Amino acid sequence: MDTVKKVIIVEGRTDKKQIEKVIEEDVEIICTNGTLGVERLEELLIEYDLDNKEVYILVDEDDSGKKLRKQLSFELPHAEHIYVDKTFREVAATPASELATALLSRRFQINPLFLL
């Protein structure tokens, strides 16, 4: 039985690595690798049981990220959104301390080293 209750959807592997650095709890991080086709999105919904989990969307603040966020919002209306400061544009380029603060605001357990 899958015990992970929280899922963060990101665009790419570098985003995932950046989040894994600061987070200190068991969270499933799904990489979409850009925009999703309807079929792939359906696979993700079933494979990760997204309708029955806490889903968070953390994507880049650029055109493709906004498009993906809109698409995911439609398919996962219960998902919560986490935003990075527009000055950094990309999740991967966001300083770990900024990312930690954003995740903490959504009740994630964070490595305290990144909150200094």
Side-chain angles (χ1 to χ4, degrees), residues 60-79:
D60 296 346
E61 286 298 316
D62 58 11
D63 289 342
S64 63
K66 288 174 183 167
K67 183 179 175 190
L68 179 60
R69 187 182 293 279
K70 192 174 179 182
Q71 182 185 12
L72 291 168
S73 297
F74 183 76
E75 293 294 334
L76 298 163
H78 70 289

mmCIF file of all heavy atoms in Angstrom, residues 60-79:
data_model
loop_
_atom_site.group_PDB
_atom_site.id
_atom_site.type_symbol
_atom_site.label_atom_id
_atom_site.label_comp_id
_atom_site.label_asym_id
_atom_site.label_seq_id
_atom_site.Cartn_x
_atom_site.Cartn_y
_atom_site.Cartn_z
ATOM 1 N N ASP A 60 7.612 26.399 -13.276
ATOM 2 C CA ASP A 60 8.311 27.646 -13.592
ATOM 3 C C ASP A 60 7.323 28.776 -13.871
ATOM 4 O O ASP A 60 6.192 28.541 -14.308
ATOM 5 C CB ASP A 60 9.210 27.456 -14.820
ATOM 6 C CG ASP A 60 10.326 26.449 -14.577
ATOM 7 O OD1 ASP A 60 10.562 26.097 -13.398
ATOM 8 O OD2 ASP A 60 10.944 26.015 -15.553
ATOM 9 N N GLU A 61 7.794 29.990 -13.638
ATOM 10 C CA GLU A 61 6.980 31.178 -13.908
ATOM 11 C C GLU A 61 7.266 31.698 -15.320
ATOM 12 O O GLU A 61 7.504 32.890 -15.505
ATOM 13 C CB GLU A 61 7.276 32.266 -12.859
ATOM 14 C CG GLU A 61 6.675 31.979 -11.498
ATOM 15 C CD GLU A 61 5.153 31.889 -11.517
ATOM 16 O OE1 GLU A 61 4.506 32.735 -12.156
ATOM 17 O OE2 GLU A 61 4.611 30.966 -10.896
ATOM 18 N N ASP A 62 7.247 30.816 -16.290
ATOM 19 C CA ASP A 62 7.403 31.225 -17.690
ATOM 20 C C ASP A 62 6.178 30.757 -18.459
ATOM 21 O O ASP A 62 5.251 30.192 -17.872
ATOM 22 C CB ASP A 62 8.708 30.671 -18.285
ATOM 23 C CG ASP A 62 8.794 29.145 -18.227
ATOM 24 O OD1 ASP A 62 7.771 28.490 -17.923
ATOM 25 O OD2 ASP A 62 9.884 28.604 -18.479
ATOM 26 N N ASP A 63 6.153 30.999 -19.752
ATOM 27 C CA ASP A 63 4.953 30.662 -20.530
ATOM 28 C C ASP A 63 4.600 29.184 -20.478
ATOM 29 O O ASP A 63 3.446 28.825 -20.289
ATOM 30 C CB ASP A 63 5.116 31.112 -21.994
ATOM 31 C CG ASP A 63 5.067 32.635 -22.119
ATOM 32 O OD1 ASP A 63 4.573 33.294 -21.181
ATOM 33 O OD2 ASP A 63 5.526 33.160 -23.139
ATOM 34 N N SER A 64 5.612 28.305 -20.631
ATOM 35 C CA SER A 64 5.302 26.872 -20.615
ATOM 36 C C SER A 64 4.854 26.428 -19.220
ATOM 37 O O SER A 64 3.970 25.586 -19.080
ATOM 38 C CB SER A 64 6.493 26.043 -21.106
ATOM 39 O OG SER A 64 7.599 26.210 -20.253
ATOM 40 N N GLY A 65 5.442 27.015 -18.176
ATOM 41 C CA GLY A 65 5.037 26.691 -16.809
ATOM 42 C C GLY A 65 3.609 27.125 -16.530
ATOM 43 O O GLY A 65 2.829 26.394 -15.919
ATOM 44 N N LYS A 66 3.258 28.319 -17.004
ATOM 45 C CA LYS A 66 1.898 28.829 -16.796
ATOM 46 C C LYS A 66 0.874 27.982 -17.552
ATOM 47 O O LYS A 66 -0.213 27.722 -17.062
ATOM 48 C CB LYS A 66 1.814 30.296 -17.219
ATOM 49 C CG LYS A 66 2.536 31.212 -16.248
ATOM 50 C CD LYS A 66 2.569 32.644 -16.735
ATOM 51 C CE LYS A 66 3.360 33.488 -15.752
ATOM 52 N NZ LYS A 66 3.706 34.799 -16.284
ATOM 53 N N LYS A 67 1.257 27.554 -18.735
ATOM 54 C CA LYS A 67 0.374 26.696 -19.540
ATOM 55 C C LYS A 67 0.140 25.365 -18.823
ATOM 56 O O LYS A 67 -0.992 24.874 -18.734
ATOM 57 C CB LYS A 67 1.003 26.466 -20.920
ATOM 58 C CG LYS A 67 0.141 25.661 -21.868
ATOM 59 C CD LYS A 67 0.826 25.499 -23.214
ATOM 60 C CE LYS A 67 0.021 24.585 -24.110
ATOM 61 N NZ LYS A 67 0.741 24.206 -25.323
ATOM 62 N N LEU A 68 1.217 24.787 -18.305
ATOM 63 C CA LEU A 68 1.126 23.519 -17.578
ATOM 64 C C LEU A 68 0.291 23.689 -16.309
ATOM 65 O O LEU A 68 -0.558 22.861 -15.992
ATOM 66 C CB LEU A 68 2.521 23.000 -17.239
ATOM 67 C CG LEU A 68 2.585 21.689 -16.465
ATOM 68 C CD1 LEU A 68 1.918 20.554 -17.241
ATOM 69 C CD2 LEU A 68 4.033 21.331 -16.150
ATOM 70 N N ARG A 69 0.514 24.774 -15.574
ATOM 71 C CA ARG A 69 -0.243 25.042 -14.348
ATOM 72 C C ARG A 69 -1.746 25.114 -14.646
ATOM 73 O O ARG A 69 -2.563 24.550 -13.938
ATOM 74 C CB ARG A 69 0.241 26.349 -13.721
ATOM 75 C CG ARG A 69 -0.371 26.620 -12.357
ATOM 76 C CD ARG A 69 0.080 27.945 -11.778
ATOM 77 N NE ARG A 69 1.486 28.024 -11.432
ATOM 78 C CZ ARG A 69 2.014 27.554 -10.312
ATOM 79 N NH1 ARG A 69 1.251 26.941 -9.431
ATOM 80 N NH2 ARG A 69 3.299 27.687 -10.073
ATOM 81 N N LYS A 70 -2.079 25.792 -15.745
ATOM 82 C CA LYS A 70 -3.490 25.931 -16.148
ATOM 83 C C LYS A 70 -4.090 24.557 -16.474
ATOM 84 O O LYS A 70 -5.194 24.226 -16.051
ATOM 85 C CB LYS A 70 -3.568 26.863 -17.357
ATOM 86 C CG LYS A 70 -4.941 27.328 -17.703
ATOM 87 C CD LYS A 70 -4.882 28.358 -18.822
ATOM 88 C CE LYS A 70 -6.252 28.830 -19.204
ATOM 89 N NZ LYS A 70 -6.223 29.786 -20.312
ATOM 90 N N GLN A 71 -3.338 23.755 -17.199
ATOM 91 C CA GLN A 71 -3.773 22.410 -17.589
ATOM 92 C C GLN A 71 -3.977 21.534 -16.347
ATOM 93 O O GLN A 71 -4.995 20.851 -16.215
ATOM 94 C CB GLN A 71 -2.722 21.795 -18.513
ATOM 95 C CG GLN A 71 -3.061 20.417 -19.025
ATOM 96 C CD GLN A 71 -1.914 19.818 -19.845
ATOM 97 O OE1 GLN A 71 -0.792 20.327 -19.863
ATOM 98 N NE2 GLN A 71 -2.198 18.726 -20.516
ATOM 99 N N LEU A 72 -3.011 21.576 -15.433
ATOM 100 C CA LEU A 72 -3.104 20.768 -14.221
ATOM 101 C C LEU A 72 -4.240 21.244 -13.313
ATOM 102 O O LEU A 72 -4.902 20.435 -12.679
ATOM 103 C CB LEU A 72 -1.770 20.795 -13.462
ATOM 104 C CG LEU A 72 -0.611 20.061 -14.143
ATOM 105 C CD1 LEU A 72 0.705 20.390 -13.458
ATOM 106 C CD2 LEU A 72 -0.848 18.559 -14.156
ATOM 107 N N SER A 73 -4.456 22.545 -13.256
ATOM 108 C CA SER A 73 -5.548 23.103 -12.440
ATOM 109 C C SER A 73 -6.894 22.574 -12.896
ATOM 110 O O SER A 73 -7.771 22.284 -12.088
ATOM 111 C CB SER A 73 -5.588 24.630 -12.550
ATOM 112 O OG SER A 73 -4.422 25.179 -12.042
ATOM 113 N N PHE A 74 -7.031 22.459 -14.205
ATOM 114 C CA PHE A 74 -8.284 21.964 -14.780
ATOM 115 C C PHE A 74 -8.515 20.504 -14.413
ATOM 116 O O PHE A 74 -9.602 20.110 -14.020
ATOM 117 C CB PHE A 74 -8.258 22.152 -16.306
ATOM 118 C CG PHE A 74 -9.538 21.726 -16.972
ATOM 119 C CD1 PHE A 74 -10.662 22.532 -16.897
ATOM 120 C CD2 PHE A 74 -9.619 20.523 -17.661
ATOM 121 C CE1 PHE A 74 -11.857 22.138 -17.493
ATOM 122 C CE2 PHE A 74 -10.796 20.123 -18.258
ATOM 123 C CZ PHE A 74 -11.923 20.936 -18.176
ATOM 124 N N GLU A 75 -7.465 19.690 -14.542
ATOM 125 C CA GLU A 75 -7.572 18.251 -14.280
ATOM 126 C C GLU A 75 -7.536 17.907 -12.792
ATOM 127 O O GLU A 75 -8.058 16.887 -12.373
ATOM 128 C CB GLU A 75 -6.433 17.501 -14.986
ATOM 129 C CG GLU A 75 -6.512 17.532 -16.498
ATOM 130 C CD GLU A 75 -7.706 16.785 -17.068
ATOM 131 O OE1 GLU A 75 -8.206 15.852 -16.418
ATOM 132 O OE2 GLU A 75 -8.145 17.147 -18.173
ATOM 133 N N LEU A 76 -6.881 18.751 -11.999
ATOM 134 C CA LEU A 76 -6.722 18.499 -10.562
ATOM 135 C C LEU A 76 -7.191 19.728 -9.774
ATOM 136 O O LEU A 76 -6.377 20.445 -9.186
ATOM 137 C CB LEU A 76 -5.246 18.211 -10.244
ATOM 138 C CG LEU A 76 -4.646 16.985 -10.900
ATOM 139 C CD1 LEU A 76 -3.129 17.036 -10.856
ATOM 140 C CD2 LEU A 76 -5.161 15.725 -10.222
ATOM 141 N N PRO A 77 -8.493 19.963 -9.770
ATOM 142 C CA PRO A 77 -8.997 21.182 -9.117
ATOM 143 C C PRO A 77 -8.682 21.251 -7.624
ATOM 144 O O PRO A 77 -8.660 22.327 -7.047
ATOM 145 C CB PRO A 77 -10.500 21.138 -9.372
ATOM 146 C CG PRO A 77 -10.813 19.764 -9.817
ATOM 147 C CD PRO A 77 -9.557 19.169 -10.361
ATOM 148 N N HIS A 78 -8.402 20.116 -6.999
ATOM 149 C CA HIS A 78 -8.095 20.107 -5.564
ATOM 150 C C HIS A 78 -6.623 20.429 -5.275
ATOM 151 O O HIS A 78 -6.234 20.590 -4.120
ATOM 152 C CB HIS A 78 -8.460 18.749 -4.951
ATOM 153 C CG HIS A 78 -7.566 17.618 -5.376
ATOM 154 N ND1 HIS A 78 -7.591 17.106 -6.663
ATOM 155 C CD2 HIS A 78 -6.610 16.930 -4.699
ATOM 156 C CE1 HIS A 78 -6.693 16.125 -6.746
ATOM 157 N NE2 HIS A 78 -6.084 16.000 -5.573
ATOM 158 N N ALA A 79 -5.815 20.537 -6.311
ATOM 159 C CA ALA A 79 -4.380 20.782 -6.119
ATOM 160 C C ALA A 79 -4.121 22.181 -5.563
ATOM 161 O O ALA A 79 -4.818 23.131 -5.897
ATOM 162 C CB ALA A 79 -3.641 20.614 -7.442
#
